[in-house]
Amino acid sequence: MWLTRPLQERSTQIFLGVLFGALVIVSALHLFMPQDSALYVSSYTVTLLGKYLCYALLAVAVDLVWGYLGILSLGHGAFFALGGYAMGMYLMRQIGDRGVYGDPVLPDFMVFLNWQELPWYWAGFDMAWFAFIMVLLAPGILALVFGFLAFRSRVTGVYLSIITQALTFALMLAFFRNEMGFGGNNGLTDFKDILGFDLRTDATRLGLFLATGIALAIGYVICRGIVTSKLGRVSVACRDAEARTRFIGYRVERVQLFVFVVSAMLAGVAGALYVPQVGIINPSEFSPLFSIEVVVWVALGGRATLYGAVIGALLVNYAKTVFTGIMPDAWLFALGGLFVLVTVFLPKGIAGLMSRRSKKDDTDTPSAQEATA
């Protein structure tokens, strides 16, 4: 089966081993170490690591379409934000009469804006199963419609990148409007619980961290399953020689559409897991700058590797956490300089450098026959 094939790969086994090992170690240090110990992992750190894992899943989704399909999407932040808003709407409905205004149905921002009834598109979000389905459907449907129109028209290259950036910018402007019913500039916040568990407790935060790690593992295996299958080989052919692939009889637009929709759904899942851990979702997540940052993560880690995207997301966001406290005004310049340096000196990213050193070590190691000669 295509989904079990990646589990037989050594690279996938190493990735999953490191990931699950990290989850176990962080959980153990959080649960069993005393709080005054230097090895204790606080709830804040657990939440921060969970946020990094959400970004890693988003980076994997971008690497799937950019690295293996050749589509440089500058709008995956839109799919991430839509998944986040779907989860945020569910969390808002769970507040009930515990809000500031005590309305059992309307969220606080709707009461403040004098809304008289819940909009029709909020219906069903009081049920977890419906919200979780919408986490996949909302970005998936948008990607399906957008991809169908773009790929059928054979829009490629920089033109497609510009259109994806325009898409997320248009959605950002729309969600800023109060009459849209998504909280306007402030977005959705003040969440209380998820599936009956209090979001402010350490146990819930740890559970969300573990759930995010498991989601990253599943997303990685799905992507590896795609790229190691016949579909993946056709995707690479579309990336390297689209006209030739089309000439020999493949429906290139169908391949592009399927992979693009899967990538969008993974981005939506990342956004849905991000919201309860951060505690807010607002239109800034639609910002084109955020989508460009994701591309930088993938480029730094190494595109067309998947695990490189994870490395890039973790390293850049950790550096962002550290350096925004030291030099908040200069961080974006440092990020841009980092992208230029990687493009010039490490075109295959950190993963490419690791692969090159591994091959060099294999070459330098003498064989058994040479050693005994």
Side-chain angles (χ1 to χ4, degrees):
M1 184 179 176
W2 67 273
L3 198 55
T4 59
R5 188 182 301 114
L7 299 177
Q8 302 172 4
E9 296 179 331
R10 184 170 178 269
S11 61
T12 302
Q13 293 171 354
I14 293 175
F15 175 83
L16 295 179
V18 171
L19 176 60
F20 288 126
L23 295 179
V24 171
I25 291 173
V26 171
S27 300
L29 294 178
H30 174 70
L31 293 173
F32 303 118
M33 296 300 295
Q35 295 188 10
D36 57 352
S37 172
L39 297 177
Y40 174 71
V41 177
S42 65
S43 296
Y44 169 78
T45 304
V46 169
T47 301
L48 188 64
L49 293 175
K51 185 176 75 170
Y52 291 167
L53 293 180
C54 292
Y55 287 152
L57 180 56
L58 175 60
V60 169
V62 172
D63 192 24
L64 179 63
V65 294
W66 186 29
Y68 294 93
L69 200 57
I71 297 175
L72 177 56
S73 172
L74 298 180
H76 259 58
F79 307 130
F80 179 85
L82 286 176
Y85 266 97
M87 176 59 74
M89 292 165 72
Y90 163 73
L91 296 176
M92 291 296 291
R93 293 299 306 274
Q94 297 305 299
I95 296 176
D97 57 4
R98 292 174 293 173
V100 175
Y101 297 101
D103 194 297
V105 178
L106 295 180
D108 285 338
F109 73 88
M110 291 187 182
V111 178
F112 179 79
L113 295 173
N114 295 320
W115 288 57
Q116 301 301 316
E117 59 182 4
L118 200 67
W120 63 269
Y121 44 84
W122 276 75
F125 279 96
D126 56 333
M127 298 176 288
W129 64 268
F130 180 83
F132 297 160
I133 290 175
M134 292 307 297
V135 164
L136 295 173
L137 283 185
I141 292 175
L142 176 63
L144 181 66
V145 175
F146 174 84
F148 176 78
L149 296 175
F151 301 142
R152 188 187 64 169
S153 303
R154 300 187 183 182
V155 180
T156 58
V158 66
Y159 303 104
L160 182 59
S161 300
I162 293 173
I163 293 176
T164 57
Q165 190 174 41
L167 171 68
T168 188
F169 185 71
L171 287 172
M172 182 185 69
L173 295 180
F175 274 71
F176 265 121
R177 301 174 64 90
N178 287 326
E179 56 267 29
M180 286 287 291
F182 296 107
N185 182 57
N186 295 323
L188 308 178
T189 187
D190 194 29
F191 308 131
K192 306 295 185 185
D193 52 49
I194 179 172
L195 298 175
F197 298 98
D198 190 349
L199 285 171
R200 291 165 293 187
T201 63
D202 293 347
T204 303
R205 295 178 180 179
L206 181 61
L208 288 170
F209 166 73
L210 294 174
T212 306
I214 294 172
L216 174 59
I218 295 174
Y220 182 89
V221 171
I222 290 174
C223 291
R224 284 301 302 172
I226 290 175
V227 301
T228 56
S229 65
K230 180 180 178 181
L231 175 63
R233 293 190 291 272
V234 175
S235 299
V236 174
C238 295
R239 178 196 68 188
D240 297 337
E242 180 177 335
R244 183 176 299 178
T245 305
R246 195 185 302 275
F247 178 75
I248 61 178
Y250 285 103
R251 299 295 297 269
V252 171
E253 62 277 1
R254 293 184 180 180
V255 175
Q256 293 173 328
L257 184 61
F258 177 80
V259 176
F260 190 68
V261 170
V262 170
S263 174
M265 288 182 172
L266 290 176
V269 172
L273 290 166
Y274 171 85
V275 169
Q277 297 183 82
V278 176
I280 188 173
I281 178 70
N282 58 42
S284 64
E285 304 298 340
F286 285 102
S287 171
L289 180 61
F290 175 62
S291 296
I292 294 174
E293 279 191 34
V294 180
V295 172
V296 175
W297 306 343
V298 178
L300 175 64
R303 53 183 291 217
T305 59
L306 295 181
Y307 67 86
V310 175
I311 295 173
L314 296 179
L315 287 180
V316 174
N317 282 284
Y318 174 74
K320 184 177 182 180
T321 301
V322 174
F323 290 109
T324 48
I326 300 175
M327 47 178 189
D329 296 332
W331 163 246
L332 290 178
F333 295 100
L335 183 64
L338 181 66
F339 182 65
V340 172
L341 290 175
V342 168
T343 303
V344 174
F345 297 105
L346 291 175
K348 294 185 178 180
I350 296 174
L353 179 63
M354 294 168 56
S355 177
R356 189 189 316 163
R357 294 182 69 123
S358 176
K359 291 179 180 178
K360 182 179 179 181
D361 292 341
D362 292 342
T363 303
D364 293 341
T365 302
S367 65
Q369 294 181 352
E370 293 174 346
T372 58

